[in-house]
Amino acid sequence: PQVSAGASVGVDYSRTRSRLGTITSGTVHPHNYGLTVTQNVFAGFRTVNQTRAAEAQVLGARETLRNAEQNVLLDAVISYMDVLRDDAVVELQRQNLEALREQLRATRDRFDVGELTRTDVAQAEARVAQAQSALSAARAQLNASRAAYRRDIGSEPRKLAPARPVEHRLPRSLEAALSASELQHPAIAASRHGVDVAQLQVKVAEGELLPVVSLEGSVSKAHDPSLAVDSVTDASLFGRLSMPLYQGGAE
């Protein structure tokens, strides 16, 4: 129900002159107060459907939160594994550079004794320069992965260990993965709840075409409403029916 209360107070001065010339005047101080109670009986199912739509929105928001949590966890896992990968790549490129430098020294020694030409030395130097460039790129990628790690996990990467294999947790087939995702993926579940909300909003709009039934009761008391009346008490109870006939075609 909807309950409302009201009150008013004021001053009313009146002066009346009759056809016979009699003048009557006076001042009253009217004040009144009252209470009104309105109870909805039927509103074209709009209230029920609006409640269901709100509940579906809550469920959809929860699934959206779950999806965000999964994405955050996935980003953390990706950042963790990227640091492991890039650290291994840096070590591999460092070892490759050391090996090529040894080859360059050997090539220069052989050049000094006349076994190789200047072209062989230049090629070895080019391979070393290329390995240095690859090592610099790998270190830059490692720094970027470490920054992503700090962003997603909140601490510096230290003593990271390779993760255990997760193949045994994966679905057996593509069809099984798709079936599981349709039932469990929070983004899909949130979309389903969004469909429910849209359908219920359609029902709410359709409810605008249905009648509205309500009960309305009121009680009030007025003091000193006029010069001839000291007080008035009024009480009423109505059942109201409103039926929309034409609303410009909007609904």
Side-chain angles (χ1 to χ4, degrees):
Q2 296 179 345
V3 182
S4 62
S8 65
V9 62
V11 178
D12 184 13
Y13 169 78
S14 63
R15 184 175 184 275
T16 305
R17 181 172 181 173
S18 67
R19 295 180 181 276
L20 300 178
T22 305
I23 297 176
T24 304
S25 63
T27 302
V28 295
H29 299 81
H31 53 284
N32 59 77
Y33 48 87
L35 185 69
T36 301
V37 179
T38 303
Q39 174 62 56
N40 173 50
V41 178
F42 179 74
F45 304 109
R46 281 174 290 174
T47 304
V48 175
N49 289 323
Q50 287 171 345
T51 302
R52 291 175 178 172
E55 292 172 347
Q57 287 177 333
V58 171
L59 296 176
R62 289 175 180 170
E63 295 299 333
T64 301
L65 174 61
R66 286 183 57 220
N67 189 58
E69 290 173 345
Q70 286 194 5
N71 290 333
V72 169
L73 292 174
L74 177 61
D75 291 341
V77 171
I78 292 175
S79 299
Y80 187 99
M81 299 304 296
D82 283 352
V83 171
L84 281 174
R85 177 202 61 198
D86 295 336
D87 191 57
V89 170
V90 167
E91 179 62 22
L92 179 64
Q93 295 292 350
R94 187 188 64 78
Q95 294 177 2
N96 182 54
L97 177 61
E98 291 297 327
L100 291 175
R101 282 174 175 171
E102 289 295 330
Q103 291 180 5
L104 176 60
R105 280 192 289 269
T107 301
R108 285 173 175 171
D109 291 341
R110 295 175 66 185
F111 171 76
D112 292 339
V113 299
E115 292 184 5
L116 298 176
T117 65
R118 174 63 64 182
T119 301
D120 296 323
V121 176
Q123 289 177 345
E125 291 174 345
R127 286 192 292 268
V128 170
Q130 185 178 12
Q132 289 174 336
S133 175
L135 178 59
S136 298
R139 285 173 174 169
Q141 181 59 47
L142 176 60
N143 290 334
S145 297
R146 287 178 176 272
Y149 184 100
R150 289 192 299 269
R151 178 198 64 201
D152 296 330
I153 297 181
S155 62
E156 293 290 339
R158 297 185 181 89
K159 298 180 179 180
L160 303 186
R164 293 190 297 271
V166 296
E167 284 79 4
H168 64 285
R169 295 181 177 272
L170 298 178
R172 298 291 183 180
S173 63
L174 176 61
E175 291 74 15
L178 293 175
S179 299
S181 67
E182 290 177 356
L183 295 176
Q184 301 175 12
H185 198 293
I188 297 178
S191 298
R192 286 201 186 95
H193 291 306
V195 172
D196 294 338
V197 172
Q199 290 176 341
L200 290 168
Q201 288 174 343
V202 171
K203 292 183 178 180
V204 171
E206 291 173 345
E208 298 287 343
L209 300 173
L210 300 177
V212 175
V213 181
S214 62
L215 291 175
E216 181 177 312
S218 64
V219 59
S220 63
K221 188 168 186 178
H223 295 272
D224 203 14
S226 65
L227 293 174
V229 180
D230 180 63
S231 65
V232 176
T233 301
D234 180 74
S236 62
L237 178 64
F238 288 94
R240 302 186 184 275
L241 171 65
S242 175
M243 179 64 189
L245 298 180
Y246 183 69
Q247 297 161 297
E251 279 69 34

